[in-house]
Amino acid sequence: MERFTISLGAELAREFDELIHARGYQNRSEAMRDILRQHIEEQRLRVREASHCVANVSYVYSHHERELADRVIALQHHFHDLTIATMHVHLDHDQCMESLFLKGPVDRVRACADRLTAERGVRHGGMNLVPVEIHTHSHLHSSGGGHAHDHGHEHDHGAEHTGNEEAGAGQLHQHTRPKS
């Protein structure tokens, strides 16, 4: 780990310490690391250096809006390769909130979010986008055929597999990790 020292004016140092306490950091170093990571990732997104991301697009809408549910589902199907999951919540008699979880190329994820939040009847929408590195590689399971799928865990590619390996041969695995 590399060390460096910064100087802060008394007022800024006091405000920083208040932020550290409010967010529950144990020390200034932990807080500075998170702040730096956040700004570096924002810069990567600004200059389009980040190629892949995970995102949560949340939006509030009236469930009485004519054909909105059908339009939203059609949009999700159009971007089916990005969609991980959705969650639907009833806020009151008229209002619903949905969260759409996406993973993929930053430009396509933004396009999906923009189209979704621009739908007539969507009242409030926002996106939390987190750049990630996608590590893609393939390996063989014991025999024939295969399909692509994601693994969110580490696994031993040399280990002997049990169960239905026929469907797993030559599978493409994507490992998603936040950029550090």
Side-chain angles (χ1 to χ4, degrees):
M1 186 161 298
E2 192 170 320
R3 289 183 171 272
F4 71 94
T5 304
I6 62 171
S7 298
L8 301 175
E11 180 65 18
L12 184 56
R14 184 190 61 73
E15 289 176 356
F16 186 51
D17 287 338
E18 287 175 5
L19 175 74
I20 289 168
H21 180 357
R23 293 202 176 163
Y25 286 106
Q26 297 298 312
N27 56 55
R28 288 177 171 171
S29 291
E30 286 180 18
M32 278 306 301
R33 281 191 289 271
D34 278 357
I35 290 169
L36 288 171
R37 281 186 201 104
Q38 178 183 355
H39 284 281
I40 289 168
E41 294 307 326
E42 287 172 0
Q43 178 62 20
R44 283 183 179 143
L45 289 171
R46 270 194 296 279
V47 299
R48 301 193 183 277
E49 196 175 290
S51 62
H52 286 79
C53 67
V54 292
N56 173 11
V57 181
S58 295
Y59 50 98
V60 174
Y61 66 96
S62 169
H63 75 266
H64 297 297
E65 178 69 32
R66 191 177 135 169
E67 299 176 359
L68 178 60
D70 291 336
R71 293 192 316 266
V72 167
I73 289 171
L75 182 66
Q76 290 175 15
H77 280 278
H78 178 76
F79 289 100
H80 68 90
D81 56 318
L82 304 177
T83 303
I84 298 170
T86 59
M87 182 172 64
H88 181 93
V89 178
H90 301 278
L91 300 176
D92 59 27
H93 181 27
D94 299 317
Q95 302 292 313
C96 294
M97 181 176 91
E98 284 193 351
S99 286
L100 177 61
F101 301 93
L102 304 169
K103 178 176 77 171
V106 172
D107 291 341
R108 292 205 61 236
V109 166
R110 281 191 172 142
C112 178
D114 289 346
R115 285 185 53 191
L116 184 60
T117 57
E119 280 291 334
R120 182 177 28 84
V122 172
R123 296 210 168 103
H124 308 283
M127 177 174 63
N128 180 29
L129 187 145
V130 179
V132 294
E133 293 177 10
I134 305 277
H135 301 282
T136 303
H137 65 279
S138 62
H139 68 271
L140 295 177
H141 289 259
S142 64
S143 63
H147 65 278
H149 64 276
D150 297 337
H151 281 270
H153 61 278
E154 292 187 23
H155 52 277
D156 181 4
H157 295 289
E160 186 155 328
H161 297 273
T162 60
N164 181 7
E165 280 88 8
E166 281 186 35
Q171 291 178 356
L172 182 66
H173 295 272
Q174 292 182 341
H175 296 263
T176 306
R177 295 189 182 117
K179 290 191 172 198
S180 53

